Amino acid sequence: MSLRTFVKINGVNNLSDARYCAGMSVDLIGFDINEVTPEVFQEITSWVSGVDFVIETDKLDGITSYKVNNVESSDTKVLTAQDDSIKTIFNTSIETITDEDLKSMDYVLVNGPENLNSSQLSAIKALSKQNKVLLGCGFNADNVNDIIDETGVHGIAISAGDEIRPGFKDYDELADILEALEVDEWA
């Protein structure tokens, strides 16, 4: 199975999410270091293969405790402090994007309202021509493919959720979006 676009999952904090997302062939799984200790990160990631991992943080402290190739932050100082081997994901709002912020970023994760208006879609399309944009808003399972086609984004970012209890999770919205992106490899 494969997905038709690049997919990042935000805020994973449990093994169930990590294994499900890896099984669905997402590209990046993100961990907020305010919620996941280095020990829990190591425990979860040791059970998962086939994906790359991202640390999500707005602090410089503690990043080196996690062995990752990607760092996501809304603070450009955190991102520009990374060495060249680390890919950077600038997390920003559609309302506050500036060209200065984007100069040295590998990806731009754009967040905003649940529903995007035509001027916001146009702005995302223009940004996508110059940057690898990961769209973190304005789509659902019914419109995700149309939004990707209309904006030309590099991919999407979807937020994970908490387990109801260990090993028990409701994947409805996440599963619906990922299933909408599935590509039939045998066709």
Side-chain angles (χ1 to χ4, degrees):
M1 182 197 60
S2 64
L3 302 174
R4 75 168 283 226
T5 195
F6 188 95
V7 176
K8 177 190 180 287
I9 304 298
N10 305 320
V12 171
N13 61 16
N14 60 76
L15 180 58
S16 296
D17 276 349
R19 292 184 72 186
Y20 175 77
C21 293
M24 290 297 290
S25 301
V26 304
D27 298 281
L28 296 173
I29 297 177
F31 296 86
D32 182 340
I33 68 171
N34 292 319
E35 295 184 24
V36 177
T37 65
E39 295 78 23
V40 170
F41 171 81
Q42 179 59 39
E43 186 177 311
I44 292 171
T45 58
S46 69
W47 284 92
V48 179
S49 64
V51 297
D52 211 355
F53 305 111
V54 180
I55 291 304
E56 303 162 342
T57 185
D58 282 336
K59 303 181 291 187
L60 279 169
D61 298 342
I63 292 175
T64 57
S65 300
Y66 300 83
K67 304 297 182 225
V68 294
N69 298 321
N70 307 276
V71 173
E72 175 188 321
S73 184
S74 59
D75 186 341
T76 56
K77 291 176 187 153
V78 170
L79 298 174
T80 56
Q82 303 308 309
D83 78 39
D84 291 342
S85 67
I86 303 291
K87 290 189 178 179
T88 55
I89 303 170
F90 180 53
N91 186 334
T92 189
S93 167
I94 187 136
E95 291 87 14
T96 60
I97 296 173
T98 66
D99 289 339
E100 188 63 32
D101 292 332
L102 309 178
K103 285 188 178 178
S104 62
M105 304 303 157
D106 293 297
Y107 300 97
V108 179
L109 172 55
V110 176
N111 289 296
E114 265 187 57
N115 297 305
L116 298 169
N117 62 40
S118 60
S119 66
Q120 291 166 326
L121 288 168
S122 294
I124 292 167
K125 184 175 182 176
L127 182 63
S128 295
K129 290 178 181 177
Q130 301 170 6
N131 299 280
K132 288 184 177 178
V133 173
L134 303 179
L135 187 60
C137 64
F139 62 85
N140 56 46
D142 295 328
N143 69 4
V144 66
N145 287 299
D146 293 335
I147 296 280
I148 290 167
D149 292 341
E150 183 176 347
T151 60
V153 294
H154 181 70
I156 63 168
I158 310 168
S159 292
D162 294 322
E163 288 181 304
I164 296 167
R165 64 180 181 270
F168 189 73
K169 169 92 179 181
D170 179 3
Y171 290 104
D172 288 346
E173 182 180 15
L174 179 65
D176 290 345
I177 292 170
L178 293 175
E179 287 171 9
L181 295 171
E182 278 185 296
V183 174
D184 186 5
E185 295 174 355
W186 304 105

